[in-house]
Amino acid sequence: MTEQKLLILFGSQTGTAQDTAERIGREAKRRHFQCRVEALDSYEVANLINELLVVFVCATTGQGDPPDNMKMFWRFLFRKNLPPSSLCQLDYAVLGLGDSSYPKFNFVAKKLHKRVLQLGGNPLLPVALGDDQHDLGPDAVVDPWLQALWDKILALYPLPPGLEIISPDVRLPPKYTLHYLAEDSPHPDGGLLQPTAPRTVPSELHPFPARMVSNQRVTAESHFQDVRLIEFDVVASGITFNAGDVVMIQPQNCPEDVQQFCQLLHLDPDRRFVLKPTEPGTSLPALLPQPCTIRYLVTHYLDISCVPRRSFFELLSYFSTNELEREKLQEFSSAQGQEELYSYCNRPRRTTLEALWDFPHTTCAIPPDYLLDLIPRIRPRAFSIASSMLAHPDRIQILMAVVQYKTRLSKPRRGLCSTWLASLNPEQGDVRVPLWVKKGGMKFPADPDTPVIMIGPGTGVAPFRAAIQERVAQGRRGNCLFFGCRQKSKDFYCQAEWEELVTKGFLTLFTAFSRDQEEKVYVQHRIRENRRLVWELLSSGSAHVYLAG
């Protein structure tokens, strides 16, 4: 008896849509569907005309934009020359994940649903609009919608006689099995970040190991916030960029956390293994070398510092040998327990590693095979590039605030990427950081006579430093910058650079130091004070206005 096929395609920016897609995949397996879960851009889109049953799960980013891993699919789907009956054999459903505080709420899901309908698809249900703003998060919409979806799918594609839905009490097999290698098996040279071949432009799958040149604190030692100006050498990388572009950096976990994780789970960090997919056709994780050490897996791949999701607690509950822990884990993974889970995890920003500490009996029983199902991979972080290639050839600079804040937990919360980057000291040897460049959302005017008004408080000034350097190198003068920070003596980034450009006539600079006087002064006050100049630039100069926070 051949299993009914179901394809689940996702477009995800932060991992929530992928997590939801994988949840639907698990539910499909319980209903005996042969199921594939793939990112939209990993899927060969021309094959869509042969599919019979597809569930799309997609997030909306920025101002109604599709996530990065569905941009190619998006362009293909909206081609004018696709026949209106292309997808007439397709039964489909679209689940959107968005945030109703944005004007283009779930724009991508709504537009996708409409477009597949135009191309002849048969919608199983109206589009689902998950909302981050809801008290229970997107699950408030997702849970009942999925229930209705399975009712609909099983009515159209009933289970073969004699087959029952696999009970939620039964643990599904892992996506991969982990095969340890004998201690004395030969070590191939691999596993470390290899410089990419010059022919490939660096990308997420082939990052460039850039040498860190300098890591300089640009706030006063007495200032509460540590902000760094960091420079990377990208010579011979093939990387090019313009002002407004973004550098993506792949961070790693700190050695103390890696050691703690291995101790908690009784893992030997130096053991080597290879991964084997449980089901044929499942591809191996692209960024993991084979063979690999446990230390490499935990350092570079498993996001043990992220706030765990509901699916983490659901899978964890299957390993629990302790009744009290299992009951709590099941509560956290139930629809009714979402408010309590939010208070336990999201509000205090508790990490995956800290959650594992709280369930010690369960944690030491986690089979290593399930590590990649349980913990998502570390996502790259985006930084506005703060320099121009015209001013600094073969270099990329970023202006980065080190993220640290308090919640009700005793230990301060720390940003994974900024804490890691801040800890690196290029004066103590060769420091390499995996990175690649992405087009940014800001485009500066091509016409040299168009003036530019830039409003960049704090580290928001980063892309404007790149733009000003680029424009000055091209001899353009109409640069107007409104910069704001707390105190002139403590966090006035790049002060000497701005003042030199003012002296040379390349820059008009307005500053707002909010704490340097009794009443607080912000950039909006300076804009109001200089409204005549701003209006003149806008009305007669057709100035472009840019704002970054």
Side-chain angles (χ1 to χ4, degrees):
M1 184 88 208
T2 57
E3 285 185 316
Q4 177 57 47
K5 284 185 181 166
L6 168 64
L7 175 64
I8 300 163
L9 296 173
F10 64 86
S12 186
Q13 197 70 21
T14 61
T16 311
Q18 179 173 353
D19 184 68
T20 305
E22 283 165 356
R23 171 188 169 184
I24 301 171
R26 290 191 294 276
E27 293 188 8
K29 288 198 171 79
R30 293 193 182 280
R31 288 158 179 82
H32 304 279
F33 279 80
Q34 189 187 327
C35 177
R36 270 167 55 217
V37 180
E38 275 193 66
L40 278 150
D41 278 356
S42 309
Y43 174 71
E44 189 51 68
V45 65
N47 292 340
L48 202 58
I49 58 167
N50 305 316
E51 302 290 352
L52 300 178
L53 185 57
V54 177
V55 177
F56 298 95
V57 184
C58 46
T60 296
T61 67
Q63 303 302 312
D65 303 314
D68 289 340
N69 64 3
M70 68 175 283
K71 282 191 155 68
M72 294 183 320
F73 171 86
W74 199 243
R75 280 198 292 272
F76 180 89
L77 198 69
F78 286 91
R79 282 182 9 189
K80 297 275 191 290
N81 60 354
L82 298 179
S85 58
S86 314
L87 303 178
C88 59
Q89 81 309 334
L90 177 69
D91 288 328
Y92 77 97
V94 177
L95 166 52
L97 297 171
D99 183 323
S100 59
S101 66
Y102 284 80
K104 294 201 167 177
F105 171 55
N106 263 316
F107 183 73
V108 171
K110 293 171 185 169
K111 206 169 167 185
L112 175 64
H113 188 272
K114 197 171 161 187
R115 181 59 175 153
V116 177
L117 188 63
Q118 280 177 350
L119 294 172
N122 317 302
L124 296 170
L125 288 176
V127 58
L129 306 175
D131 185 8
D132 251 351
Q133 290 298 316
H134 193 284
D135 288 345
L136 300 178
D139 286 346
V141 167
V142 174
D143 289 356
W145 185 84
L146 274 181
Q147 191 54 58
L149 180 70
W150 289 121
D151 291 347
K152 195 86 187 196
I153 288 177
L154 289 176
L156 288 170
Y157 304 96
L159 288 178
L163 274 186
E164 295 288 318
I165 294 175
I166 299 169
S167 155
D169 304 333
V170 177
R171 181 170 93 196
L172 292 170
K175 196 170 181 183
Y176 306 102
T177 49
L178 204 131
H179 298 267
Y180 284 120
L181 301 179
E183 302 285 344
D184 53 3
S185 61
H187 281 234
D189 291 333
L192 290 169
L193 190 67
Q194 302 296 339
T196 46
R199 66 176 191 281
T200 60
V201 173
S203 63
E204 185 161 6
L205 293 180
H206 303 282
F208 178 73
R211 184 173 65 85
M212 184 185 277
V213 179
S214 60
N215 184 352
Q216 173 198 352
R217 180 169 174 146
V218 290
T219 43
E221 286 299 332
S222 59
H223 190 56
F224 77 99
Q225 189 159 41
D226 180 354
V227 176
R228 303 295 177 97
L229 182 66
I230 302 178
E231 181 169 74
F232 303 101
D233 181 353
V234 292
V235 69
S237 64
I239 286 176
T240 59
F241 59 89
N242 296 309
D245 286 349
V246 166
V247 62
M248 304 297 294
I249 292 179
Q250 184 65 46
Q252 58 187 58
N253 291 309
C254 69
E256 301 78 48
D257 284 358
V258 172
Q259 188 184 346
Q260 259 189 35
F261 180 86
C262 291
Q263 282 170 350
L264 267 176
L265 276 81
H266 305 310
L267 294 167
D268 173 359
D270 297 314
R271 279 302 294 274
R272 292 159 64 247
F273 65 89
V274 290
L275 284 179
K276 302 262 172 74
T278 311
E279 289 186 2
T282 305
S283 52
L284 290 168
L287 294 161
L288 271 186
Q290 291 264 55
C292 183
T293 62
I294 292 288
R295 189 190 312 279
Y296 187 96
L297 172 73
V298 184
T299 303
H300 297 277
Y301 195 84
L302 299 179
D303 196 352
I304 57 176
S305 76
C306 71
V307 176
R309 302 175 190 273
R310 174 178 168 180
S311 57
F312 168 85
F313 295 97
E314 186 186 329
L315 182 52
L316 207 51
S317 70
Y318 287 105
F319 311 132
S320 195
T321 49
N322 175 289
E323 198 176 334
L324 227 83
E325 287 187 10
R326 186 169 57 246
E327 279 176 9
K328 194 72 198 164
L329 291 164
Q330 286 170 340
E331 184 188 341
F332 280 160
S333 51
S334 70
Q336 301 73 37
Q338 289 316 288
E339 218 157 308
E340 196 168 339
L341 177 60
Y342 189 86
S343 302
Y344 171 71
C345 261
N346 302 64
R347 196 166 286 122
R349 311 302 296 163
R350 194 182 302 271
T351 68
T352 294
L353 183 57
E354 288 168 330
L356 290 170
W357 273 109
D358 286 348
F359 295 91
H361 299 90
T362 308
T363 295
C364 64
I366 296 170
D369 285 348
Y370 281 92
L371 284 174
L372 282 94
D373 294 85
L374 191 63
I375 301 171
R377 73 174 176 85
I378 298 173
R379 302 236 155 215
R381 300 330 198 234
F383 294 91
S384 291
I385 296 174
S387 59
S388 164
M389 289 193 110
L390 300 180
H392 302 275
D394 295 323
R395 293 282 201 263
I396 287 179
Q397 295 179 358
I398 61 171
L399 190 64
M400 176 195 82
V402 181
V403 176
Q404 185 179 339
Y405 57 95
K406 284 288 293 173
T407 65
R408 63 180 169 80
L409 302 179
S410 58
K411 230 175 129 186
R413 308 291 88 194
R414 295 177 188 276
L416 173 67
C417 190
S418 62
T419 304
W420 172 60
L421 287 175
S423 75
L424 301 175
N425 183 354
E427 287 164 23
Q428 289 179 354
D430 190 36
V431 174
R432 299 277 168 169
V433 171
L435 55 76
W436 64 99
V437 164
K438 243 177 59 175
K439 279 274 154 259
M442 283 187 182
K443 301 275 180 289
F444 292 89
D447 179 355
D449 298 325
T450 304
V452 173
I453 300 169
M454 294 162 279
I455 306 154
T459 53
V461 80
F464 303 139
R465 183 171 179 259
I468 291 165
Q469 286 182 0
E470 193 169 280
R471 289 169 61 82
V472 167
Q474 293 162 339
R476 302 181 181 187
R477 287 182 181 270
N479 306 307
C480 176
L481 174 65
F482 287 89
F483 173 76
C485 65
R486 287 188 171 215
Q487 289 163 297
K488 184 174 182 175
S489 61
K490 294 196 173 170
D491 55 339
F492 186 4
Y493 315 133
C494 314
Q495 178 180 356
E497 189 177 329
W498 303 138
E499 288 171 351
E500 186 187 341
L501 291 173
V502 170
T503 308
K504 290 181 173 172
F506 279 107
L507 180 66
T508 307
L509 176 67
F510 299 101
T511 51
F513 305 114
S514 62
R515 306 294 196 279
D516 273 351
Q517 58 286 307
E518 274 295 289
E519 71 295 344
K520 297 205 174 91
V521 176
Y522 297 112
V523 285
Q524 58 267 36
H525 297 118
R526 296 292 184 238
I527 293 169
R528 191 176 293 127
E529 285 165 18
N530 294 281
R531 55 188 177 270
R532 284 202 173 79
L533 168 70
V534 171
W535 175 242
E536 190 184 318
L537 288 171
L538 286 171
S539 57
S540 52
S542 305
H544 291 199
V545 181
Y546 298 86
L547 176 66

